[in-house]
Amino acid sequence: MSIVAELSSQVGDRTEEANRVAAERCLDHPELLAEVAGALTGKDAALAGDCAEVMTKVAERSPGLVVPYFGQLAGLLSHKTTRVRWEAMHALALIADLAPERAAALLPRLEQLVRNDSSTIVRDYAIDALGQTAKTGADAAERVYPLLMEALTVWEGKHAARALKGLREAVGQAPQLALEAMRIGLEYAEHAKPTVRKAAKALVKAAERS
């Protein structure tokens, strides 16, 4: 039986269980991912979302298996269905550090998503992808740094904790950013949100080590 035919939208499963089982099969038999990838670009949005979710679940456990499908996932970032965009963006965030050249080429699109996408989840994972891209080297970290700085304040600072985490990754690769990053970390260290305070303090520690 086709693995695509077993996915949630195809079997009437309103939970994620069918997709989780399919992901387990793909982890055991990675060749099945080619079929899943083939259905990412079809007209059935529910099925595309299921396939992107399978890619995400596989990437959580074995990201290298999903790297060959980077292009297909990136093509979904303009999909009109929010769930498709967020699952694709989540998968890409999980594999960005394993595909540095492709991730770097995606930066302008990530910048647009952080600024303009209506979905908080999509924006969250786009910022995660920026941070993971920053991990790939000093040049990438310098390119990503201003995008993460912008992500600190867009959408009324809703994504500040994630942006601070990404800045920590950038500082780890590009020590010349440490002084300004420390200033930013200290600025957010007394933020009202505990998650932001925690991320800010971690950034300060990373800057001190650089």
Side-chain angles (χ1 to χ4, degrees), residues 82-205:
T82 300
R83 180 192 171 220
V84 176
R85 294 199 311 281
W86 94 47
E87 291 290 0
M89 191 68 261
H90 191 181
L92 287 165
L94 292 167
I95 65 175
D97 61 324
L98 300 181
E101 292 184 3
R102 290 182 175 186
L106 197 61
L107 290 178
R109 185 72 184 108
L110 297 180
E111 181 180 12
Q112 291 174 350
L113 289 171
V114 172
R115 287 178 178 173
N116 303 317
D117 200 279
S118 60
S119 167
T120 300
I121 300 174
V122 172
R123 299 194 305 267
D124 276 345
Y125 290 135
I127 293 168
D128 288 351
L130 289 174
Q132 292 302 300
T133 302
K135 287 171 63 175
T136 64
D139 289 345
E142 289 197 67
R143 287 185 61 189
V144 168
Y145 186 82
L147 306 184
L148 289 167
M149 290 292 289
E150 181 179 358
L152 273 174
T153 56
V154 294
W155 299 89
E156 299 180 343
K158 182 178 289 188
H159 306 284
R162 274 184 153 85
L164 289 164
K165 183 179 178 182
L167 287 171
R168 188 179 72 199
E169 301 290 2
V171 167
Q173 295 294 326
Q176 65 271 25
L177 303 173
L179 189 60
E180 184 181 4
M182 183 179 293
R183 179 183 63 79
I184 294 296
L186 291 171
E187 180 181 329
Y188 281 85
E190 302 302 325
H191 196 276
K193 291 184 179 179
T195 54
V196 175
R197 292 199 302 271
K198 182 179 179 180
K201 290 173 183 177
L203 174 59
V204 170
K205 289 182 180 178

